[in-house]
Amino acid sequence: MMLPMKNLWMLLLLCLALSDCKDKAIDPESYDGDYPYYRVGGAQIPTHPTRFENTPQAPGTYKVLFNNHDWNHWLYIAAGGGLTPRSASLFGLGMLAVGGVDCDREHFDFAIPAKVGMYRYGKEVAYDVKFPQNPNFSMINCDASSGNSVEADQTANNWVNITRFDTLSKPNEAEGSFDITFKIVRKNPNYSIVYPNTIRMRGSFKQQFNPK
């Protein structure tokens, strides 16, 4: 049974559209989507149920978004926080996302004054562009840097809001939220994973910790 000419044209247009989508490659330099993807094969990095692994010395609860979705493209995220080694007047929160068959990973952290308040980078708290940077987002391949150059986007409204900071209770507790945007200013063309040019990390935390 032959299809009417109108239906044949519609079928042809659909095939052409699907072919165009399939053959269109993502340009690593201009890519600015939501998820990272593998350079070889061009497949989006797989996702998993979000799972945080806390250190016994610093248990906490977290909600973290990578761009517009759960930070779920790794098997688990190790998280911890507390007074920073360099200063007891600073509270730092760090997260390391790991998993998969290789040792690629992502690291995110920030440090702000250890007391209740709204801290906007570039206003209440300064950007630190030295190593290690504050705030910081980095990609790590095993024990080495990915070669991507990542900086906080100083044109964005980057902030951390501490709504509770209690050093009298045992254990000590800190609670708050954050919204920080990073930009990749230089991409390593040989790194195994291609990242979007813009990375926005936002979420909330409730962290228990003990002073050093």
Side-chain angles (χ1 to χ4, degrees), residues 76-91:
Y76 68 93
I77 302 169
L83 301 178
T84 67
R86 57 179 170 173
S87 172
S89 63
L90 292 176
F91 172 78

Side-chain angles (χ1 to χ4, degrees), residues 5-51:
M5 184 60 69
K6 181 178 180 181
N7 290 350
L8 284 172
W9 277 110
M10 292 179 64
L11 182 61
L12 178 60
L13 289 173
L14 178 62
C15 291
L16 288 173
L18 291 174
S19 174
D20 180 64
C21 291
K22 182 178 179 181
D23 295 337
K24 184 179 290 185
I26 296 176
D27 176 21
E29 291 301 319
S30 62
Y31 174 64
D32 206 23
D34 287 339
Y35 282 92
Y37 73 92
Y38 290 113
R39 183 174 296 277
V40 177
Q44 176 186 298
I45 193 169
T47 59
H48 310 272
T50 305
R51 192 178 85 209

